[in-house]
Amino acid sequence: MTIEFRPVANGIHEVLLQRPERMNALDTASKRALGDIWQAANDDPAVKVLIVRGAGDRAFCAGSDIKEMQATGTMVDTDTLMRAIPGVGVELNKPVIAAMHGFTVGMGLTLAIHCDFRIAAATGKIGFPETQHGMLSGVSALTLPGIVGKPRR
């Protein structure tokens, strides 16, 4: 399994993105697993809080698995994509914390943006590389300004 969902202690559960060899990039199976995890967490009264983190030293999540998309020539359907984002495609009434380190880019940043809290290592690299190609997640584009706020003058 590319994602582990396990209890840690006292209602705290960990969601571990477990593909360090791919900088925890989310393939189709991972996106489906995330949707299932959010649903299971919401339905389980024993789950009080979720902490999402990436395995290895290099990345929280390097986004969608581009190599998979190139190999298959396809992307996941919209429903699968939305369900992978906490609280978007699946109702989720539990707090979710993103423990970010290393690269948090693309879909990885979308995942973090939709968590209730984000804790980032000082050495982290955060961004949307797809903006260089004129693309951005519509879901993230709507949510990010509310997190970042208005610029100071």
Side-chain angles (χ1 to χ4, degrees):
M1 162 95 50
T2 57
I3 299 187
E4 295 179 34
F5 176 51
R6 60 182 178 217
V8 177
N10 301 324
I12 300 168
H13 284 65
E14 178 181 62
V15 178
L16 179 63
L17 309 178
Q18 186 70 294
R19 295 183 77 209
E21 73 284 357
R22 291 276 181 105
M23 295 175 59
N24 302 311
L26 299 173
D27 60 4
T28 300
S30 299
K31 290 173 184 169
R32 284 191 183 112
L34 281 171
D36 293 343
I37 288 167
W38 307 139
Q39 187 66 62
N42 194 62
D43 295 345
D44 186 347
V47 176
K48 303 297 182 200
V49 66
L50 298 114
I51 300 173
V52 183
R53 68 181 192 87
D57 297 328
R58 296 175 53 206
F60 168 74
C61 179
S64 291
D65 188 340
I66 302 299
K67 289 182 181 178
E68 178 193 47
M69 286 188 254
Q70 289 172 335
T72 63
T74 62
M75 296 173 52
V76 297
D77 60 89
T78 302
D79 184 58
T80 300
L81 186 63
M82 293 297 105
R83 288 177 50 79
I85 302 170
V88 174
V90 174
E91 184 176 346
L92 183 58
N93 296 315
K94 315 281 172 97
V96 183
I97 301 166
M100 301 156 47
H101 73 284
F103 288 92
T104 302
V105 297
M107 178 65 184
L109 183 52
T110 294
L111 180 63
I113 284 171
H114 291 276
C115 290
D116 299 290
F117 301 97
R118 289 150 299 282
I119 301 169
T123 57
K125 306 271 191 245
I126 299 171
F128 284 113
E130 58 268 38
T131 59
Q132 298 171 25
H133 305 286
M135 299 183 298
L136 180 63
S137 164
V139 177
S140 299
L142 294 172
T143 308
L144 187 58
I147 295 169
V148 175
K150 294 181 178 182
R152 293 185 191 185
R153 299 195 190 269

